[in-house]
Amino acid sequence: MKIEQAYTIVTSPGRNFVTLKIVTDQGEYGIGDATLNGREMAVVAYLEEHVIPTLIGRDPQRIEDIWHYLYRGAYWRRGPVTMSAIAAVDMALWDIKAKLAGMPLYQLLGGKSRDRVMVYGHATGRDIEACLEEVARHVDEGYKAVRVQAGVPGIASIYGVAKKDGEPYEPADSDLPAEHVWSTSKYLNHVPKLFAAVRERFGEDLHVLHDVHHRLTPIEAARLGKEVEPYHLFWLEDCVPAENQEAFGLIRQHTTTPLAVGEVFNSLYDAKALIENQWIDYIRATLTHAGGITHMRRIADLAGLYHVRTGFHGPTDLSPVCLGSAIHFDTWVPNFGIQEYMPHTSATDQVFPHDYRFEDGHFIVGETPGHGVDIDETLAKQYPYKRASLPVNRLEDGTLWHW
Ligand SMILES: O=C(O)C(=O)C[C@H](O)[C@H](O)CO
Ligand SMILES: [Mg+2]
């Protein structure tokens, strides 16, 4: 069996997505997600110019060999563009292999470790009251876990809070990067009040999460972790930028609030010290940005040795192809923690027909051979690419800060 054809499909049913389709000489095909929010066309160019020409004629069943061919063969290792491109190939090849085996992907990985996959949804509001209403809506819809982000008095626009209450949050919201203004002191004073209000209204059973989006220093993160301890967060996410992995050692010494990190990671080496030192509790890297199923499996296995569980990134800027594959992985992986879930637009769901379903705060994996997600290429053409950028963040004095 040989790879006969491979091509990228760029579509924007509400937001941009990049999909790689690989077709074999026996008519079987697989698809992979290559979406890198705000940098989509860089991955398209990488795939079209440097990857696809090398795939033609190869045996699609040699997933491991192709992974190392693309990783080692590039010489220039790692990085989000390279690893998203490799991930898309890897996901498409696992899709093909599972289809050839006549099995849903989770079976090929080792079978079910659980019957359903707990997810967390996003509640956002311009203030605490509006945010609590959104938490209540999620609870009514069956969610057992909710990420809680509220506007902060004195900060005009803040990460993770929708422009209008009740609407989904979209980070890439303008042609060129918007500029936000950030105040650490205002934020730090406000977050404990938010979680006090959440526990007061919803009691102890609801799992609550919070994303700091890399905006604190280690000692500030330690303060926040300590101050929210009484509210028993499921996790505190990305509390500092993680290039310096040792920073988490400092935070860890100060707080028992569980720590999650890794949505911008693209390789095991981004997380090695974090995992081996048990500085974190959840690893957030996911299939599309961390080299696909083949590499993510290595990360999860290492994490499992150190009591670190998975908590895959799952924003709307990863396509249903990534989400569907992630649900198979989550169903199999022994050290599963939780799966992030932001519902896609109905236009996106139509472009990407899929067999996973949401029920009672959980995803239920499908039984279709492969990863269970397809693409309607005719419909995809109706939604042309439109550049959209993530914002940047500045301190009140104008200093460029982390976003
Ligand atoms: O989903 C999350 O936790 C995020 O932090 C979302 C990211 O900002 C988003 O994926 C950037 O493209
Ligand atoms: Mg995040």
mmCIF file of all heavy atoms in Angstrom, residues 37 120 122 147 159 169 171 211 213 237 263 284 313 315 317 340 342 390 403, ligand 1:
data_model
loop_
_atom_site.group_PDB
_atom_site.id
_atom_site.type_symbol
_atom_site.label_atom_id
_atom_site.label_comp_id
_atom_site.label_asym_id
_atom_site.label_seq_id
_atom_site.Cartn_x
_atom_site.Cartn_y
_atom_site.Cartn_z
ATOM 1 N N ASN A 37 -3.508 28.327 15.661
ATOM 2 C CA ASN A 37 -4.300 29.565 15.678
ATOM 3 C C ASN A 37 -3.434 30.809 15.440
ATOM 4 O O ASN A 37 -2.456 31.048 16.143
ATOM 5 C CB ASN A 37 -5.013 29.679 17.035
ATOM 6 C CG ASN A 37 -6.182 30.641 17.001
ATOM 7 O OD1 ASN A 37 -6.622 31.068 15.928
ATOM 8 N ND2 ASN A 37 -6.698 30.975 18.172
ATOM 9 N N TYR A 120 -14.525 19.748 30.756
ATOM 10 C CA TYR A 120 -14.895 21.002 31.413
ATOM 11 C C TYR A 120 -15.280 22.016 30.353
ATOM 12 O O TYR A 120 -14.698 22.084 29.274
ATOM 13 C CB TYR A 120 -13.788 21.526 32.334
ATOM 14 C CG TYR A 120 -12.528 22.028 31.674
ATOM 15 C CD1 TYR A 120 -12.392 23.374 31.313
ATOM 16 C CD2 TYR A 120 -11.458 21.180 31.447
ATOM 17 C CE1 TYR A 120 -11.216 23.850 30.751
ATOM 18 C CE2 TYR A 120 -10.278 21.647 30.875
ATOM 19 C CZ TYR A 120 -10.165 22.982 30.526
ATOM 20 O OH TYR A 120 -8.996 23.447 29.966
ATOM 21 N N HIS A 122 -16.551 26.247 29.536
ATOM 22 C CA HIS A 122 -16.061 27.595 29.856
ATOM 23 C C HIS A 122 -17.207 28.497 30.304
ATOM 24 O O HIS A 122 -18.110 28.753 29.525
ATOM 25 C CB HIS A 122 -15.485 28.254 28.609
ATOM 26 C CG HIS A 122 -14.142 27.761 28.219
ATOM 27 N ND1 HIS A 122 -13.233 28.552 27.585
ATOM 28 C CD2 HIS A 122 -13.540 26.561 28.374
ATOM 29 C CE1 HIS A 122 -12.125 27.855 27.358
ATOM 30 N NE2 HIS A 122 -12.293 26.644 27.818
ATOM 31 N N ARG A 147 -14.640 25.796 33.813
ATOM 32 C CA ARG A 147 -13.573 26.787 33.930
ATOM 33 C C ARG A 147 -14.227 28.151 34.136
ATOM 34 O O ARG A 147 -15.173 28.496 33.420
ATOM 35 C CB ARG A 147 -12.737 26.789 32.644
ATOM 36 C CG ARG A 147 -11.545 27.699 32.701
ATOM 37 C CD ARG A 147 -10.817 27.723 31.367
ATOM 38 N NE ARG A 147 -11.199 28.900 30.610
ATOM 39 C CZ ARG A 147 -10.439 29.469 29.678
ATOM 40 N NH1 ARG A 147 -9.255 28.960 29.385
ATOM 41 N NH2 ARG A 147 -10.844 30.524 29.023
ATOM 42 N N TYR A 159 -8.303 38.207 29.246
ATOM 43 C CA TYR A 159 -8.250 36.897 28.631
ATOM 44 C C TYR A 159 -9.418 36.009 29.098
ATOM 45 O O TYR A 159 -9.700 35.922 30.280
ATOM 46 C CB TYR A 159 -6.926 36.165 28.976
ATOM 47 C CG TYR A 159 -7.080 34.713 28.643
ATOM 48 C CD1 TYR A 159 -7.068 34.322 27.317
ATOM 49 C CD2 TYR A 159 -7.386 33.772 29.614
ATOM 50 C CE1 TYR A 159 -7.328 33.023 26.966
ATOM 51 C CE2 TYR A 159 -7.648 32.463 29.277
ATOM 52 C CZ TYR A 159 -7.610 32.087 27.952
ATOM 53 O OH TYR A 159 -7.902 30.814 27.598
ATOM 54 N N TYR A 169 -16.191 32.657 23.822
ATOM 55 C CA TYR A 169 -14.993 33.480 23.826
ATOM 56 C C TYR A 169 -14.124 33.114 22.622
ATOM 57 O O TYR A 169 -13.878 31.935 22.376
ATOM 58 C CB TYR A 169 -14.260 33.227 25.133
ATOM 59 C CG TYR A 169 -12.820 33.611 25.089
ATOM 60 C CD1 TYR A 169 -12.453 34.942 25.041
ATOM 61 C CD2 TYR A 169 -11.813 32.652 25.077
ATOM 62 C CE1 TYR A 169 -11.125 35.310 24.983
ATOM 63 C CE2 TYR A 169 -10.491 33.007 25.027
ATOM 64 C CZ TYR A 169 -10.156 34.341 24.974
ATOM 65 O OH TYR A 169 -8.846 34.697 24.910
ATOM 66 N N PRO A 171 -10.408 34.076 20.999
ATOM 67 C CA PRO A 171 -9.208 34.906 21.151
ATOM 68 C C PRO A 171 -8.737 35.599 19.861
ATOM 69 O O PRO A 171 -8.297 36.753 19.910
ATOM 70 C CB PRO A 171 -8.149 33.923 21.665
ATOM 71 C CG PRO A 171 -8.670 32.553 21.423
ATOM 72 C CD PRO A 171 -10.151 32.658 21.248
ATOM 73 N N ASP A 211 -7.830 29.586 34.375
ATOM 74 C CA ASP A 211 -6.694 29.745 33.461
ATOM 75 C C ASP A 211 -6.073 31.124 33.670
ATOM 76 O O ASP A 211 -6.731 32.139 33.440
ATOM 77 C CB ASP A 211 -7.200 29.593 32.015
ATOM 78 C CG ASP A 211 -6.069 29.548 31.001
ATOM 79 O OD1 ASP A 211 -4.901 29.762 31.381
ATOM 80 O OD2 ASP A 211 -6.373 29.297 29.811
ATOM 81 N N HIS A 213 -3.351 32.068 32.032
ATOM 82 C CA HIS A 213 -2.825 32.405 30.703
ATOM 83 C C HIS A 213 -1.451 33.064 30.768
ATOM 84 O O HIS A 213 -1.210 34.098 30.134
ATOM 85 C CB HIS A 213 -3.831 33.254 29.919
ATOM 86 C CG HIS A 213 -3.930 32.851 28.479
ATOM 87 N ND1 HIS A 213 -3.352 33.564 27.467
ATOM 88 C CD2 HIS A 213 -4.509 31.792 27.894
ATOM 89 C CE1 HIS A 213 -3.584 32.957 26.317
ATOM 90 N NE2 HIS A 213 -4.278 31.873 26.548
ATOM 91 N N GLU A 237 -4.336 26.869 35.836
ATOM 92 C CA GLU A 237 -3.672 26.582 34.548
ATOM 93 C C GLU A 237 -2.716 27.691 34.134
ATOM 94 O O GLU A 237 -3.024 28.879 34.303
ATOM 95 C CB GLU A 237 -4.785 26.432 33.506
ATOM 96 C CG GLU A 237 -4.299 26.284 32.087
ATOM 97 C CD GLU A 237 -5.471 26.208 31.116
ATOM 98 O OE1 GLU A 237 -6.584 25.814 31.528
ATOM 99 O OE2 GLU A 237 -5.270 26.553 29.950
ATOM 100 N N GLU A 263 -0.443 23.851 27.138
ATOM 101 C CA GLU A 263 -1.171 23.966 25.867
ATOM 102 C C GLU A 263 -0.288 24.499 24.748
ATOM 103 O O GLU A 263 -0.577 24.257 23.586
ATOM 104 C CB GLU A 263 -2.444 24.814 26.030
ATOM 105 C CG GLU A 263 -2.176 26.271 26.324
ATOM 106 C CD GLU A 263 -3.449 27.080 26.521
ATOM 107 O OE1 GLU A 263 -4.358 26.582 27.194
ATOM 108 O OE2 GLU A 263 -3.520 28.204 26.010
ATOM 109 N N ARG A 284 -1.173 19.587 29.622
ATOM 110 C CA ARG A 284 -2.218 20.107 28.732
ATOM 111 C C ARG A 284 -1.884 19.986 27.245
ATOM 112 O O ARG A 284 -2.682 20.378 26.392
ATOM 113 C CB ARG A 284 -2.440 21.591 29.039
ATOM 114 C CG ARG A 284 -2.829 21.870 30.454
ATOM 115 C CD ARG A 284 -4.268 22.234 30.600
ATOM 116 N NE ARG A 284 -4.663 23.310 29.736
ATOM 117 C CZ ARG A 284 -5.731 23.250 28.920
ATOM 118 N NH1 ARG A 284 -6.474 22.171 28.878
ATOM 119 N NH2 ARG A 284 -6.051 24.290 28.181
ATOM 120 N N HIS A 313 -5.758 20.246 25.911
ATOM 121 C CA HIS A 313 -6.246 21.519 25.387
ATOM 122 C C HIS A 313 -7.375 21.228 24.406
ATOM 123 O O HIS A 313 -7.248 20.333 23.566
ATOM 124 C CB HIS A 313 -5.063 22.180 24.665
ATOM 125 C CG HIS A 313 -5.241 23.604 24.309
ATOM 126 N ND1 HIS A 313 -4.572 24.174 23.242
ATOM 127 C CD2 HIS A 313 -5.961 24.591 24.877
ATOM 128 C CE1 HIS A 313 -4.891 25.455 23.179
ATOM 129 N NE2 HIS A 313 -5.723 25.731 24.150
ATOM 130 N N PRO A 315 -9.711 24.041 22.846
ATOM 131 C CA PRO A 315 -10.466 25.246 22.492
ATOM 132 C C PRO A 315 -11.087 25.093 21.113
ATOM 133 O O PRO A 315 -10.795 24.123 20.396
ATOM 134 C CB PRO A 315 -9.371 26.320 22.462
ATOM 135 C CG PRO A 315 -8.178 25.577 21.951
ATOM 136 C CD PRO A 315 -8.272 24.189 22.523
ATOM 137 N N ASP A 317 -10.250 26.593 18.626
ATOM 138 C CA ASP A 317 -9.252 26.732 17.555
ATOM 139 C C ASP A 317 -8.518 25.425 17.253
ATOM 140 O O ASP A 317 -7.562 25.430 16.473
ATOM 141 C CB ASP A 317 -8.292 27.890 17.815
ATOM 142 C CG ASP A 317 -7.712 27.947 19.214
ATOM 143 O OD1 ASP A 317 -6.714 27.266 19.462
ATOM 144 O OD2 ASP A 317 -8.252 28.685 20.052
ATOM 145 N N GLU A 340 -10.759 19.424 27.892
ATOM 146 C CA GLU A 340 -11.385 20.735 27.681
ATOM 147 C C GLU A 340 -12.368 20.658 26.517
ATOM 148 O O GLU A 340 -12.107 19.995 25.521
ATOM 149 C CB GLU A 340 -10.301 21.789 27.377
ATOM 150 C CG GLU A 340 -10.867 23.193 27.193
ATOM 151 C CD GLU A 340 -9.779 24.231 26.894
ATOM 152 O OE1 GLU A 340 -8.637 23.854 26.587
ATOM 153 O OE2 GLU A 340 -10.103 25.432 26.971
ATOM 154 N N MET A 342 -14.874 23.327 24.234
ATOM 155 C CA MET A 342 -15.593 24.535 23.821
ATOM 156 C C MET A 342 -16.359 24.132 22.566
ATOM 157 O O MET A 342 -15.738 23.796 21.561
ATOM 158 C CB MET A 342 -14.610 25.651 23.458
ATOM 159 C CG MET A 342 -13.907 26.281 24.636
ATOM 160 S SD MET A 342 -12.712 27.516 24.034
ATOM 161 C CE MET A 342 -13.779 28.925 23.693
ATOM 162 N N LEU A 390 -4.261 36.591 17.183
ATOM 163 C CA LEU A 390 -4.398 36.626 18.632
ATOM 164 C C LEU A 390 -3.949 38.003 19.123
ATOM 165 O O LEU A 390 -3.134 38.652 18.468
ATOM 166 C CB LEU A 390 -3.495 35.545 19.247
ATOM 167 C CG LEU A 390 -3.909 34.109 18.919
ATOM 168 C CD1 LEU A 390 -2.806 33.139 19.301
ATOM 169 C CD2 LEU A 390 -5.191 33.746 19.637
ATOM 170 N N TRP A 403 0.846 37.005 26.889
ATOM 171 C CA TRP A 403 -0.583 36.880 26.583
ATOM 172 C C TRP A 403 -1.050 35.472 26.835
ATOM 173 O O TRP A 403 -0.389 34.525 26.554
ATOM 174 C CB TRP A 403 -0.904 37.260 25.133
ATOM 175 C CG TRP A 403 -2.390 37.160 24.972
ATOM 176 C CD1 TRP A 403 -3.304 38.035 25.476
ATOM 177 C CD2 TRP A 403 -3.123 36.095 24.379
ATOM 178 N NE1 TRP A 403 -4.565 37.581 25.223
ATOM 179 C CE2 TRP A 403 -4.484 36.383 24.567
ATOM 180 C CE3 TRP A 403 -2.755 34.901 23.741
ATOM 181 C CZ2 TRP A 403 -5.486 35.543 24.108
ATOM 182 C CZ3 TRP A 403 -3.750 34.076 23.282
ATOM 183 C CH2 TRP A 403 -5.117 34.401 23.459
HETATM 184 O O1 LIG B 1 -8.325 26.913 26.002
HETATM 185 C C1 LIG B 1 -7.463 27.450 26.674
HETATM 186 O O2 LIG B 1 -7.146 27.097 27.808
HETATM 187 C C2 LIG B 1 -6.738 28.584 26.111
HETATM 188 O O3 LIG B 1 -5.941 29.162 26.825
HETATM 189 C C3 LIG B 1 -7.047 28.955 24.716
HETATM 190 C C4 LIG B 1 -5.898 29.628 23.991
HETATM 191 O O4 LIG B 1 -5.814 30.971 24.352
HETATM 192 C C5 LIG B 1 -6.126 29.529 22.522
HETATM 193 O O5 LIG B 1 -6.144 28.193 22.161
HETATM 194 C C6 LIG B 1 -5.079 30.267 21.731
HETATM 195 O O6 LIG B 1 -5.244 29.968 20.386
#
